[in-house]
Amino acid sequence: MLSTTSDMEAVQAWIQARVGSKITAKTYLREARRLLLWLQYERQGSKLADMRIGDCTAYLASCRTSRPTGFLAPARCLVSRDGRPFAANSATTATGRLS
């Protein structure tokens, strides 16, 4: 059993314990963040431990759509002017830097 206080801590501990490549770790972390955001917005704040098979199926289906549900913005958009991650109104420029 992990002794973590949040889903993100659990994800980071899992990645640290099992991934050797920094590139792979970065990719896993990006995908885990995407899943956690999906849980937050599509499953009203559910935690990883609360996920059921139906949630997994719904998440995978949302990954297959050409335009994910409303909580994800274009890939380069990381932080909006009002501090919300992945919001369409971004403070990042075309180069990915904050304006």
Side-chain angles (χ1 to χ4, degrees):
M1 183 101 145
L2 290 174
S3 59
T4 60
T5 59
S6 71
D7 284 347
M8 184 52 73
E9 282 183 20
V11 166
Q12 289 171 333
W14 179 83
I15 290 171
Q16 258 186 343
R18 289 171 177 78
V19 176
S21 162
K22 286 184 181 183
I23 293 171
T24 301
K26 185 177 176 180
T27 301
Y28 283 12
L29 185 58
R30 181 187 68 228
E31 295 305 319
R33 285 181 176 149
R34 187 172 289 157
L35 172 60
L36 294 176
L37 281 171
W38 183 86
L39 283 170
Q40 179 68 35
Y41 290 99
E42 297 299 318
R43 294 297 190 252
Q44 291 71 40
S46 291
K47 303 295 182 197
L48 284 174
D50 299 329
M51 286 187 77
R52 300 293 179 247
I53 292 172
D55 296 321
C56 295
T57 302
Y59 175 70
L60 290 174
S62 75
C63 289
R64 291 184 193 107
T65 62
S66 59
R67 176 74 176 132
T69 53
F71 68 89
L72 293 178
R76 291 190 184 268
C77 176
L78 298 178
V79 179
S80 69
R81 285 187 175 85
D82 60 358
R84 293 181 305 150
F86 306 104
N89 180 14
S90 173
T92 60
T93 66
T95 63
R97 295 189 182 128
L98 290 173
S99 55

